[in-house]
Amino acid sequence: MIRSSSPGISEAGRAAVDKSRMIALMAKAVGDVAKVENRRAVWIYVGELPARQMIEFGHLLPEAGDEPAWTAALPEADRAFMQSIGK
């Protein structure tokens, strides 16, 4: 039996329903990629860090709820790069 364990780190402050959805989506994606025979073979662990202990795009992350102001305050090049991801 193939087993897959995927640790992850999440920004603290997310709603429980959002974390549950994120974990379920991660488990499905890992299971699909690993081609596991049974969902029992996929284990997901998520630890939380305060936003101020994380840097993305070269900038400390904002507290939960402050994302719009944080995004608006980014230098234009960093904001454009961030917003281009996934397009």
Side-chain angles (χ1 to χ4, degrees):
M1 173 200 272
I2 296 174
R3 281 194 314 220
S4 178
S5 176
S6 294
I9 297 176
S10 174
E11 180 182 337
R14 295 180 188 265
V17 68
D18 294 334
K19 288 185 276 191
S20 294
R21 182 173 183 272
M22 177 181 67
I23 292 167
L25 290 170
M26 289 171 63
K28 181 178 181 335
V30 169
D32 290 349
V33 170
K35 296 183 170 79
V36 298
E37 295 174 18
N38 190 300
R39 65 183 184 165
R40 291 185 306 235
V42 178
W43 302 352
I44 303 291
Y45 301 91
V46 176
E48 292 185 326
L49 289 175
R52 292 299 180 176
Q53 292 181 9
M54 301 172 77
I55 289 181
E56 291 182 4
F57 308 104
H59 304 276
L60 282 171
L61 291 181
E63 296 300 325
D66 292 340
E67 294 89 354
W70 178 82
T71 301
L74 288 174
E76 176 57 37
D78 293 342
R79 185 173 48 256
F81 175 77
M82 179 184 76
Q83 293 172 336
S84 73
I85 295 173
K87 289 186 176 182

